[in-house]
């Protein structure tokens, strides 16, 4: 829509929702999507659309698999956000930095997905596996010496190294660049930046300098790789790719795609691995790995409320009218706790995956349909390879006793603060952390008005 406003608080919709000021509620939701959902949205269980504020159409969430399916199946009406915080000043060298698969819509999204497909091909994923093994072997997870470390920081380093080497063909020396991309993502989604767009010594001014520096450094990287021998990583593939008219991509197009991949793939993978690692340290065998990962993604989806959509026309969602211009989220976090699909939905129980078979609209940690996560296979390979090696290496022990989460980068729910652990030699008996984990899963239960009435 070209606007740099995230939402329009004057939009009306006949939706249930919590009372209060739309501006304040929107801000609370944006800063704490999980807590707002479980405390204030969960009780409206059976409606297809719930407002972040009663009767207000500025930010809404869809509920139930029928509404979820409708939104995911109609990429024309429900476009990925490309305005609001993502609107960059025009006429600058960096103006298209945010143009990438996740923010482009229509034919430009299809073209961009096509360009990136070779990077996610099975044979490419297979070749990345060797790099993931090598990076694991260099990490503290591979040393069962009882040394204490922060699993969040170490997984961050590990996934950064995997991402850089596999997808960009770079070594650890460039780790700072992808860290800067993540800093930029977090700053872009910070209300102090997108609500107050002025000044040079302000959060906005600092953000703009970060935009410039990321654009400049990615452009230099591409210029240096344009004429290098072809490799299987994204940087090389994009530098050598031609579009349907046989035209090579411009440096700015490649900058956008590389930035997009780093922004979509690094924090999400590192945080998903952190939640799964925390769950695994509760004591699980190799043959439970798949179901522990799935159960963790069910109860703590890293992207708990999907990427935001802009509603492009007035639309009827399963009987509720939603106005053009609304910002819409899918309620991954709440749908993954739907009692009609999951028995004892708030309990962490990996064994449920032997019998429960949710549809793609009832379990969707990577989204579903035409805009499903492009990096899911790469992320899953990293999770499985790393954790299989970890469980062969020794016994993980969780040392932190107080687990909490926070929202970062606008869409990601990450562990808050350091989470300490250590690795012991195989066969070591370690302290039982199940009570710590149990307390954490319980803290994520809904505790709003509907929760107290026990409606789900
Ligand atoms: C465990 C790690 C990951 C999780 C949980 C995750 C999750 C997601 C989710 C929920 C979406 C949006 C779905 C929607 O709202 O419709 C998405 C989109 C996307 N992801 Fe991932 N992601 C992960 C890793 C990656 C990696 C490693 C990459 C790339 C290298 C990547 C690239 C993308 C791209 C390009 C999109 C946009 C697709 C489109 O809009 O057409 N992701 N991801």
């Amino acid at each position: 829509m070209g606007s740099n406003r995230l939402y329009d608080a004057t939009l009306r919709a006949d939706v249930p929702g919590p009372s209060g000021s739309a501006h304040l509620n929107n801000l609370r939701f944006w800063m704490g999507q999980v807590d707002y959902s479980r405390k204030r949205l969960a009780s409206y269980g059976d409606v297809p659309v719930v407002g972040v504020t009663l009767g207000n159409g500025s930010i809404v969430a869809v509920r139930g698999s029928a509404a979820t399916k409708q939104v995911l199946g109609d990429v024309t009406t429900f476009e990925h956000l490309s305005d609001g915080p993502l609107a960059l000043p025009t006429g600058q060298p960096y103006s298209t930095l945010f143009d990438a698969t996740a923010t482009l819509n229509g034919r430009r999204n299809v073209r961009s997905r096509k360009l990136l497909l070779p990077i996610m091909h099975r044979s490419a994923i297979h070749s990345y596996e060797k790099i993931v093994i090598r990076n694991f072997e260099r990490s503290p997870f591979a040393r069962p010496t009882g040394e204490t470390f922060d699993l969040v920081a170490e997984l961050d380093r590990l996934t950064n190294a995997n991402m850089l080497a596999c997808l960009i063909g770079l070594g650890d020396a460039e780790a700072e660049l992808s860290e800067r991309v993540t800093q930029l993502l977090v700053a872009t989604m910070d209300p102090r930046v997108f609500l107050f767009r002025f000044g040079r010594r302000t959060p906005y001014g600092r953000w703009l300098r970060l935009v410039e520096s990321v654009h400049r450094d990615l452009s230099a990287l591409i210029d240096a790789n344009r004429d290098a021998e072809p490799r299987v990583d994204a940087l090389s593939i994009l530098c050598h790719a031609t579009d349907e008219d046989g035209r090579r991509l411009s440096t700015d197009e490649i900058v956008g795609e590389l930035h997009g991949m780093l922004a979509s793939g690094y924090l999400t993978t590192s945080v998903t691995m952190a939640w799964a690692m925390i769950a695994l340290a509760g004591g699980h065998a190799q043959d439970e790995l798949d179901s522990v990962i799935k159960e963790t993604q069910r109860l703590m989806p890293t992207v708990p409320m999907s990427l935001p959509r802009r509603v492009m026309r007035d639309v009827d969602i399963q009987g509720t009218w939603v106005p053009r211009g609304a910002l819409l989220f899918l309620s991954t976090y709440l749908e993954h706790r739907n009692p009609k699909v999951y028995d004892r939905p708030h309990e962490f129980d990996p064994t449920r995956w032997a019998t429960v078979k949710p549809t793609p609209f009832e379990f969707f940690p990577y989204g579903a349909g035409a805009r499903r996560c492009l990096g899911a296979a790469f992320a899953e390979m990293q999770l499985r390879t790393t954790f299989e090696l970890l469980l062969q290496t020794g016994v993980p022990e969780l040392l932190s006793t107080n687990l909490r989460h926070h929202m970062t980068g606008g869409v990601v729910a990450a562990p808050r603060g350091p989470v300490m652990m250590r690795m012991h030699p195989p066969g070591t008996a370690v302290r039982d952390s199940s009570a710590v984990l149990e307390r954490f899963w319980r803290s994520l239960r809904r505790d709003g008005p509907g929760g107290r009435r026990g409606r789900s």
Side-chain angles (χ1 to χ4, degrees):
M1 310 212 117
S3 153
N4 61 16
R5 271 193 312 179
L6 178 62
Y7 60 80
D8 175 358
T10 64
L11 288 177
R12 297 279 159 258
D14 189 14
V15 286
S19 55
S21 140
H23 285 298
L24 271 181
N25 285 354
N26 287 348
L27 196 63
R28 282 196 201 114
F29 171 77
W30 191 254
M31 302 301 286
Q33 291 168 18
V34 168
D35 284 336
Y36 199 93
S37 301
R38 74 187 175 83
K39 290 181 183 171
R40 309 199 68 191
L41 303 182
S43 53
Y44 306 96
D46 287 333
V47 296
V49 185
V50 56
V52 163
T53 306
L54 170 71
N56 190 279
S58 58
I59 304 188
V60 298
V62 297
R63 297 295 317 273
S65 60
T68 302
K69 186 174 179 183
Q70 180 182 344
V71 169
L72 287 172
D74 182 353
V75 293
T76 312
T77 304
F78 306 101
E79 286 197 344
H80 274 210
L81 190 70
S82 59
D83 56 10
L86 300 173
L88 284 166
T90 52
Q92 301 297 326
Y94 53 74
S95 295
T96 55
L97 179 66
F98 293 158
D99 286 7
T101 321
T103 52
L104 294 171
N105 289 291
R107 284 169 53 189
R108 292 185 73 195
N109 169 259
V110 174
R111 173 177 181 268
S112 164
R113 288 183 71 100
K114 230 186 238 165
L115 279 170
L116 296 183
L117 272 184
I119 300 151
M120 297 300 163
H121 190 266
R122 205 178 308 153
S123 60
I125 303 278
H126 188 63
S127 73
Y128 304 148
E129 210 172 327
K130 296 185 197 82
I131 301 174
V132 171
I133 295 172
R134 187 199 65 200
N135 285 338
F136 172 83
E137 282 163 357
R138 291 180 184 167
S139 76
F141 300 105
R143 292 192 294 272
T145 56
E147 158 202 7
T148 300
F149 58 89
D150 173 11
L151 71 88
V152 178
E154 290 303 335
L155 285 170
D156 196 66
R157 253 192 284 280
L158 187 62
T159 45
N160 193 1
N162 288 345
M163 182 96 194
L164 283 173
C166 300
L167 295 192
I168 326 252
L170 296 176
D172 299 355
E174 312 286 343
E176 189 274 336
L177 179 57
S178 40
E179 276 158 18
R180 211 159 0 118
V181 170
T182 301
Q183 260 177 39
L184 175 57
L185 171 70
V186 172
T188 302
M189 296 303 179
D190 185 335
R192 284 171 307 179
V193 172
F194 65 75
L195 289 178
F196 309 105
R197 293 192 161 226
F198 56 81
R200 279 197 63 78
R201 291 170 167 272
T202 53
Y204 172 73
R206 284 194 289 281
W207 169 76
L208 215 48
R209 284 194 289 284
L210 204 50
V211 169
E212 281 174 50
S213 86
V214 167
H215 179 267
R216 188 187 52 239
D217 293 352
L218 284 173
S219 303
L221 200 62
I222 289 155
D223 289 341
N225 274 271
R226 276 258 186 225
D227 301 314
E229 281 296 301
R231 305 180 303 261
V232 283
D233 56 74
L235 174 59
S236 179
I237 289 174
L238 291 169
C239 282
H240 291 88
T242 49
D243 66 11
E244 52 276 17
D245 305 323
R247 192 180 57 92
R248 282 182 84 179
L249 304 187
S250 71
T251 297
D252 275 346
E253 283 173 299
I254 305 174
V255 166
E257 293 297 354
L258 275 190
H259 171 266
M261 258 190 298
L262 291 171
S264 329
Y266 163 31
L267 187 61
T268 44
T269 309
S270 126
V271 165
T272 301
M273 290 183 75
W275 290 124
M277 177 72 86
I278 289 169
L280 272 178
H284 292 280
Q286 187 95 18
D287 60 356
E288 292 173 295
L289 191 54
D290 269 8
S291 47
V292 170
I293 292 174
K294 269 195 180 159
E295 187 67 347
T296 312
Q297 288 188 314
R298 183 182 75 82
L299 278 182
M300 192 34 130
T302 300
V303 185
M305 293 297 286
S306 83
L307 298 187
R309 267 54 176 183
R310 187 65 79 196
V311 177
M312 302 307 290
R313 61 175 174 89
D314 292 349
V315 61
D316 174 349
I317 301 180
Q318 308 298 313
T320 300
W321 277 99
V322 175
R324 174 174 185 267
L327 194 67
L328 177 145
F329 288 81
L330 304 167
S331 315
T332 318
Y333 177 87
L334 295 175
E335 295 313 316
H336 284 189
R337 285 169 161 74
N338 184 347
K340 292 184 191 137
V341 180
Y342 304 100
D343 194 25
R344 295 167 292 106
H346 300 287
E347 276 178 36
F348 182 84
D349 176 13
T351 63
R352 74 172 73 245
W353 291 97
T355 47
V356 73
K357 301 275 179 272
T359 68
F361 310 105
E362 292 164 344
F363 180 69
F364 45 100
Y366 298 101
R371 304 294 304 251
R372 185 173 187 265
C373 173
L374 210 64
F378 176 51
E380 295 269 304
M381 181 275 285
Q382 285 186 74
L383 281 155
R384 284 194 170 73
T385 306
T386 305
F387 291 140
E388 273 171 21
L389 291 170
L390 178 104
L391 294 177
Q392 283 160 22
T393 302
V395 186
E397 181 186 17
L398 186 68
L399 299 172
S400 293
T401 52
N402 185 18
L403 302 171
R404 288 179 307 152
H405 81 278
H406 71 134
M407 289 302 298
T408 181
V411 294
V412 167
R416 180 186 276 281
V419 179
M420 306 311 288
M421 70 170 279
R422 58 186 167 208
M423 287 296 294
H424 297 280
T428 310
V430 297
R431 186 182 359 187
D432 181 1
S433 58
S434 50
V436 173
L437 285 162
E438 183 54 36
R439 207 167 47 239
F440 176 62
W441 299 126
R442 237 191 353 254
S443 78
L444 295 176
R445 291 176 76 123
R446 58 191 273 203
D447 55 3
R452 280 198 296 274
R453 285 200 304 272
R455 277 169 48 189
S456 80

